[in-house]
Amino acid sequence: MRLVYWIASLLLVGALMLHSAPYVARDVIVYSLIERGADSAKLKRVRIDWFNAKLELQGLDLSYQGRSALSGERLSFDIYLQELLDNRLRLSGLRLEGISAQLTQQDQLLLLGPIVLLGGESQVQKLEESESSYEFGSDLIELVDVDIELLQPNASQKLNIERLNIGGLYQWSPLEATDLRFVGHLNGAPITIDSSALPLPERKTLSVQLALRQLELTPLVATFSPGLAATVDLNLNVELALEGYQAWISQSGSVQLSEVSLALDESRAELGSLSWQGESSQLLNLQEGAEPLIELALNGLLGADQIELLQGDLAARLSTFS
């Protein structure tokens, strides 16, 4: 009878621990965010499926200085438990859905509310620098309906991710290609990206198909080139290879700038459009202190129309150029 009593007690304790684990995890996450400086943090629910090794967070909200810095409808991931025995943290799926985040750029720091993401002693850098015996891998990473706003000293950027899929990323298999598909908007302009990459081996490669329409350049360049205004359309295929301190880049396709205006001191240039279609390639030296451009090749057609150059009271106009 005593043995039965102890077995029943252990089973009861185990059941209580499994039942209370989601509530404990929820409180730990909330308290951790508040300790990092958040005004308030809420997490509606933590769900743990012990049999399928699945964790799901629902209803996350983080506020800082009277505004929402991060809110999320759902974050979930699944783990292959058996691969933990081989020192591999492998996810069968990682999904973020209905996320809204407001980032702030201050000098060299990138902040999410009070949390430093880049620059200084960021939590991301600390994780990268810490040693781990586990290798990371994921079959699929999905971002659905994610809105990110970046507040800068002289401008703000808004990125809407309708869907981002990243498939096949494994530290233990560096020669397996990682595929990426992005559909969304940058500052209201539609963007699609399809790429395949080998980001882990010594010789890293990237192949990208990029298309965007009617993107206003002014907010993007306001910090370092406040006198430039233009709208860009592009359709490009880009190939990149990186090994050691050398990078080889090639592009093919078309780029068009519309309603171009560039002001420098008392000079001003305006163009109805500026377009390029063709191919180019560059060989770059990335070593610090070295001349960056080793080789440049261009083969294409450059054209412009409605050109007007202004210098004080002087003006020059040209209808077309190619």
Side-chain angles (χ1 to χ4, degrees):
M1 289 296 294
R2 182 171 295 181
L3 178 60
V4 174
Y5 170 79
W6 281 110
I7 293 176
S9 299
L10 289 174
L11 291 175
L12 179 59
V13 171
L16 289 173
M17 291 179 63
L18 293 179
H19 177 73
S20 62
Y23 303 99
V24 174
R26 181 187 63 186
D27 291 342
V28 168
I29 293 172
V30 169
Y31 292 148
S32 175
L33 292 174
I34 292 176
E35 285 182 354
R36 295 183 188 279
D39 294 341
S40 66
K42 300 177 182 178
L43 183 57
K44 182 178 180 181
R45 182 179 294 116
V46 175
R47 298 180 59 184
I48 302 177
D49 184 342
W50 298 103
F51 295 102
N52 296 305
K54 181 175 181 178
L55 174 68
E56 183 175 290
L57 308 181
Q58 296 180 4
L60 174 65
D61 185 76
L62 183 152
S63 297
Y64 180 65
Q65 294 184 344
R67 63 190 182 205
S68 175
L70 175 66
S71 63
E73 180 182 332
R74 181 176 291 107
L75 182 153
S76 62
F77 60 88
D78 308 60
I79 299 177
Y80 288 99
L81 289 177
Q82 67 274 19
E83 300 216 12
L84 293 175
L85 301 175
D86 297 324
N87 288 336
R88 292 178 178 176
L89 179 58
R90 180 181 175 185
L91 306 181
S92 59
L94 170 63
R95 181 181 177 92
L96 285 78
E97 183 176 353
I99 307 295
S100 178
Q102 189 177 78
L103 309 179
T104 304
Q105 181 181 340
Q106 294 181 359
D107 298 324
Q108 301 300 317
L109 301 179
L110 182 63
L111 306 171
L112 173 62
I115 302 172
V116 179
L117 299 180
L118 291 175
E121 289 294 320
S122 75
Q123 300 303 313
V124 174
Q125 289 172 329
K126 288 179 181 179
L127 288 174
E128 290 177 348
E129 292 170 0
S130 62
E131 295 184 2
S132 174
S133 58
Y134 283 87
E135 293 181 302
F136 175 78
S138 179
D139 296 349
L140 178 63
I141 299 175
E142 294 180 284
L143 278 69
V144 180
D145 190 20
V146 175
D147 292 310
I148 300 173
E149 183 179 13
L150 174 61
L151 302 179
Q152 298 173 298
N154 299 321
S156 65
Q157 321 295 338
K158 292 184 178 180
L159 176 66
N160 165 252
I161 304 174
E162 294 180 13
R163 180 172 292 274
L164 171 63
N165 292 344
I166 303 174
L169 179 63
Y170 310 105
Q171 283 186 298
W172 57 86
S173 185
L175 297 181
E176 185 167 344
T178 299
D179 297 322
L180 180 147
R181 167 72 173 171
F182 173 92
V183 179
H185 295 78
L186 176 60
N187 294 337
I191 300 177
T192 59
I193 301 174
D194 287 285
S195 74
S196 181
L198 291 174
L200 299 177
E202 183 176 347
R203 187 178 190 273
K204 299 168 175 53
T205 61
L206 174 66
S207 176
V208 180
Q209 292 180 329
L210 172 63
L212 64 84
R213 292 185 292 109
Q214 294 295 299
L215 175 63
E216 293 284 345
L217 284 184
T218 305
L220 295 176
V221 302
T223 301
F224 55 87
S225 184
L228 175 63
T231 301
V232 61
D233 294 79
L234 63 82
N235 194 332
L236 286 177
N237 293 324
V238 181
E239 303 286 338
L240 168 67
L242 176 63
E243 186 171 9
Y245 290 104
Q246 286 196 343
W248 177 82
I249 309 171
S250 71
Q251 308 90 16
S252 63
S254 63
V255 180
Q256 178 169 313
L257 300 178
S258 305
E259 301 176 357
V260 182
S261 176
L262 177 61
L264 295 173
D265 298 326
E266 297 181 357
S267 301
R268 186 179 185 87
E270 295 185 355
L271 298 87
S273 67
L274 176 65
S275 63
W276 176 84
Q277 182 168 357
E279 302 174 347
S280 68
S281 64
Q282 304 87 39
L283 181 61
L284 305 177
N285 187 345
L286 305 180
Q287 194 163 10
E288 186 176 357
E291 189 68 28
L293 184 61
I294 300 175
E295 182 180 303
L296 172 65
L298 294 171
N299 181 20
L301 179 63
L302 177 67
D305 61 25
Q306 301 177 26
I307 306 168
E308 185 174 15
L309 303 177
L310 305 173
Q311 174 69 48
D313 296 330
L314 301 177
R317 295 176 177 86
L318 183 64
S319 58
T320 60
F321 168 83
S322 61

